[in-house]
Amino acid sequence: MRRSYKFLLRPTRKQQQALRAMLADHCDLYNAALQERREAYAHPSKTSVRYGDQSAQLRDIRTADADGQGRWSFSSQQATLRRLNKAFEAFFRRIRNGDEPGYPRFKGKGHFDTVDFPKDGDGCRWNSTPHDTQTRVRLQGVGHVRVHQHRPVQGRVKTVSVKREANRWFVVLSCDDVPAEPFPETGRAVGIDMGVEHFATTSNGEHFANPRHAQRAADELAEAQRALDEFPKKVRKSARTKKHRQAVRRVGKLHAKVRRQRLDHHHKTALALVRAHDVIAHEDLNIGGMTAAAKSKPDPEQPGAFLPNGAAAKSGLNRSILDAGWGQFLGILADKAESAGRHVIRVDARNTSRTCPECGHVAKENRVSQAEFVCQCCGHAANADVNAAINIATRAGLVLSDAA
């Protein structure tokens, strides 16, 4: 298996300065490479500049700027150029598919937060001081940085990434050949229905509460954002006042806290499900479509006017869905299930909340309210979320029987 490990870094003040300089130089490299591609294509010759062309220039760039670009790992700079190349490949793919193109954009220094090292031992070294009880990672140009390693690393470290989140630094390890850790079989299967009132409901009738982390922090976030909005929006980072920098850090810390709380909840909920069941079924959700903005409805009687379309209510629902983080949770659930030797099955989401599990009658009227299901044919009554979870489990059973 392949697995990622994320650990908090504890750099010294001097190392923090070096880490910020490394991010800034990689950001400059990314933007310069993007500018070169733009200018080459804008030329009458319509020249295409590719990754190989720009990678070949790195040696001369490092020689000319020995105290700047020359300080950092050559391989990490190649990874930054590959990152730009992937952005262009995705841009051309979207054009071919008829999607919104989204031309690659220049990165601000405050929005370029990751440097990748493609190979452990090439510009970086995990556990660089094995003789010491304190784990460290060595980064070229930065030094041996202390790591808060809260769990053991298994497998073979393949790539190393350094990431900045607000005012904190992390190292992310991608490891190959990680052994699976199968859980003992339970002989139980379950269907889960994702929701907003309850984060998840199982076909056994168990409800997992929705903590609504972003909603709980909304007032504090709004206050911090208002304090930040008092300062000019377009000002160089080096020209910000002390209070401006404090306002920026406060907003970043609050968002990071919400993100960590949500991630912690997802991990714990997924682990509880994986430990208790051999087979877990969930709906194959199109979350992007579910959270799309409500479409405007032109008023045929008044040109230029629009009919009510429930945009305010839809926006509130979209915020609740995104706050719950269903996509992240389902990804974590799949990863934990694979590691534990469990099976996760995605089933068709259509009509799971409108179908009666007793007689099979399907009707919109069966869903009496958000919390209540009453079959208009046979009279079967149940909690609406539990009813949907039962239908999901039933469909998963059909999938397994077909596969057998």
Side-chain angles (χ1 to χ4, degrees):
M1 291 180 55
R2 188 166 188 175
R3 179 178 291 177
S4 294
Y5 297 88
K6 184 178 180 180
F7 300 115
L8 178 68
L9 292 178
R10 299 195 183 278
T12 64
R13 182 171 297 182
K14 187 176 180 180
Q15 288 172 339
Q16 286 187 46
Q17 294 174 350
L19 286 169
R20 286 193 289 267
M22 180 175 68
L23 283 182
D25 284 345
H26 276 75
C27 180
D28 289 340
L29 178 66
Y30 182 96
N31 289 336
L34 174 56
Q35 182 64 25
E36 182 185 26
R37 291 196 181 208
R38 287 167 57 99
E39 291 178 350
Y41 191 75
H43 191 269
S45 62
K46 299 289 184 182
T47 305
S48 294
V49 178
R50 303 184 184 279
Y51 162 74
D53 304 321
Q54 295 186 318
S55 179
Q57 301 175 39
L58 270 178
R59 191 177 301 278
D60 293 336
I61 293 172
R62 291 167 59 84
T63 301
D65 187 18
D67 294 332
Q69 296 290 346
R71 294 176 290 176
W72 318 118
S73 162
F74 185 89
S75 296
S76 69
Q77 292 172 325
Q78 285 182 314
T80 296
L81 294 178
R82 280 194 291 270
R83 177 176 169 181
L84 175 64
N85 194 60
K86 287 181 180 179
F88 271 98
E89 288 176 350
F91 166 69
F92 291 121
R93 183 183 67 249
R94 289 191 293 269
I95 290 179
R96 289 193 300 269
N97 296 339
D99 301 330
E100 187 71 25
Y103 190 83
R105 293 182 293 180
F106 292 102
K107 301 286 187 181
K109 285 185 170 59
H111 294 85
F112 193 95
D113 296 321
T114 305
V115 171
D116 298 320
F117 297 85
K119 183 180 179 182
D120 182 32
D122 187 359
C124 66
R125 171 64 69 185
W126 169 249
N127 195 15
S128 58
T129 56
H131 56 279
D132 196 348
T133 56
Q134 174 65 56
T135 304
R136 290 180 171 84
V137 58
R138 181 188 175 277
L139 304 172
Q140 181 175 327
V142 178
H144 300 270
V145 185
R146 285 199 306 138
V147 180
H148 180 69
Q149 185 182 353
H150 59 276
R151 59 172 174 162
V153 174
Q154 296 180 306
R156 175 174 56 87
V157 177
K158 185 173 183 181
T159 66
V160 179
S161 299
V162 175
K163 186 175 184 180
R164 176 179 60 191
E165 292 183 5
N167 61 338
R168 309 175 86 188
W169 296 88
F170 295 88
V171 60
V172 182
L173 310 177
S174 180
C175 300
D176 278 344
D177 305 326
V178 178
E181 300 174 353
F183 289 168
E185 294 185 3
T186 65
R188 293 192 293 267
V190 72
I192 59 172
D193 176 60
M194 308 304 299
V196 173
E197 183 65 27
H198 301 287
F199 175 73
T201 302
T202 71
S203 53
N204 302 326
E206 182 181 5
H207 296 289
F208 290 91
N210 185 2
R212 304 176 189 272
H213 296 298
Q215 182 176 324
R216 284 162 47 194
D219 292 341
E220 193 174 2
L221 276 168
E223 181 183 351
Q225 191 63 56
R226 281 194 296 269
L228 178 60
D229 290 343
E230 295 178 0
F231 298 96
K233 294 184 182 298
K234 295 184 179 180
V235 60
R236 294 195 313 276
K237 191 174 181 179
S238 58
R240 292 175 180 172
T241 63
K242 181 179 179 181
K243 288 186 176 180
H244 191 175
R245 292 195 298 271
Q246 288 175 340
V248 172
R249 283 197 297 270
R250 187 185 176 197
V251 172
K253 287 175 68 176
L254 288 173
H255 281 291
K257 180 180 178 181
V258 170
R259 185 166 58 250
R260 292 194 303 272
Q261 288 175 327
R262 185 182 294 118
L263 186 64
D264 180 69
H265 174 256
H266 289 170
H267 275 287
K268 290 177 178 177
T269 304
L271 183 58
L273 288 167
V274 168
R275 277 178 173 165
H277 306 95
D278 293 341
V279 179
I280 304 167
H282 66 82
E283 296 170 298
D284 188 6
L285 299 173
N286 178 13
I287 300 174
M290 295 173 67
T291 55
K295 294 184 179 179
S296 58
K297 298 179 180 179
D299 189 343
E301 298 181 359
Q302 300 183 37
F306 295 89
L307 297 171
N309 63 347
K314 184 68 169 63
S315 297
L317 177 61
N318 291 351
R319 282 195 299 270
S320 297
I321 293 174
L322 295 174
D323 186 13
W326 295 343
Q328 177 178 267
F329 167 74
L330 294 176
I332 291 172
L333 178 65
D335 292 341
K336 289 188 180 297
E338 182 184 5
S339 177
R342 306 305 204 203
H343 297 285
V344 172
I345 301 175
R346 295 183 298 178
V347 303
D348 190 351
R350 287 176 293 183
N351 294 323
T352 53
S353 61
R354 300 177 179 182
T355 303
C356 176
E358 298 294 329
C359 67
H361 178 64
V362 181
K364 180 180 180 181
E365 292 75 21
N366 287 350
R367 187 71 179 261
V368 178
S369 66
Q370 183 66 28
E372 187 178 4
F373 177 92
V374 178
C375 179
Q376 303 301 307
C377 182
C378 69
H380 169 71
N383 177 276
D385 293 335
V386 174
N387 181 81
I390 292 173
N391 288 325
I392 293 168
T394 302
R395 291 185 184 182
L398 294 174
V399 171
L400 288 175
S401 62
D402 291 342

